[in-house]
Amino acid sequence: MPTFPDFSPLYLDAWVMFAVYYAALVMGVFAFAHALSQRADAFTAAERMTKPAWLGITGGGAFALLLFHPFSAGGMFWLAGLVAVTVYVVDVRPRLIEVQRGPRW
């Protein structure tokens, strides 16, 4: 877990990364909770992987975001977790919502 940097304009980059770290963690938990709350048949109807696969991807991504830090030795795993949950939020989630809502006319 990162610590708060000193409040100074010299540490602006540290504050930005601190905010990105916690925003990514919140997004990872949200992605896992959203995947958990969706119907299993919606994933196949949306022509995406199955629900257990996305639960594993988003759960593993959220765990990696919690366990690692961008500037630690496991920064690569943090980045992989961020990519995994971002793909779910940007690509899979809108498609699931569209499939479950039905045609818009």
Side-chain angles (χ1 to χ4, degrees):
M1 232 4 111
T3 59
F4 284 108
D6 294 332
F7 188 72
S8 169
L10 297 174
Y11 296 109
L12 181 62
D13 59 339
W15 278 100
V16 169
M17 284 309 297
F18 188 77
V20 167
Y21 174 80
Y22 282 108
L25 186 59
V26 168
M27 186 171 66
V29 171
F30 170 76
F32 180 73
H34 187 270
L36 190 63
S37 67
Q38 300 305 304
R39 297 187 337 231
D41 61 339
F43 287 89
T44 54
E47 297 177 354
R48 301 300 188 250
M49 289 188 284
T50 62
K51 180 177 181 172
W54 279 111
L55 285 175
I57 291 169
T58 57
F63 185 69
L65 291 172
L66 178 65
L67 192 61
F68 299 106
H69 188 268
F71 296 123
S72 68
M76 179 179 64
F77 297 112
W78 182 86
L79 186 60
L82 180 63
V83 169
V85 298
T86 303
V87 165
Y88 180 82
V89 169
V90 172
D91 182 43
V92 178
R93 181 178 171 269
R95 186 77 172 119
L96 289 174
I97 291 171
E98 178 184 329
V99 164
Q100 291 178 8
R101 184 183 319 150
R104 297 218 32 157
W105 46 317

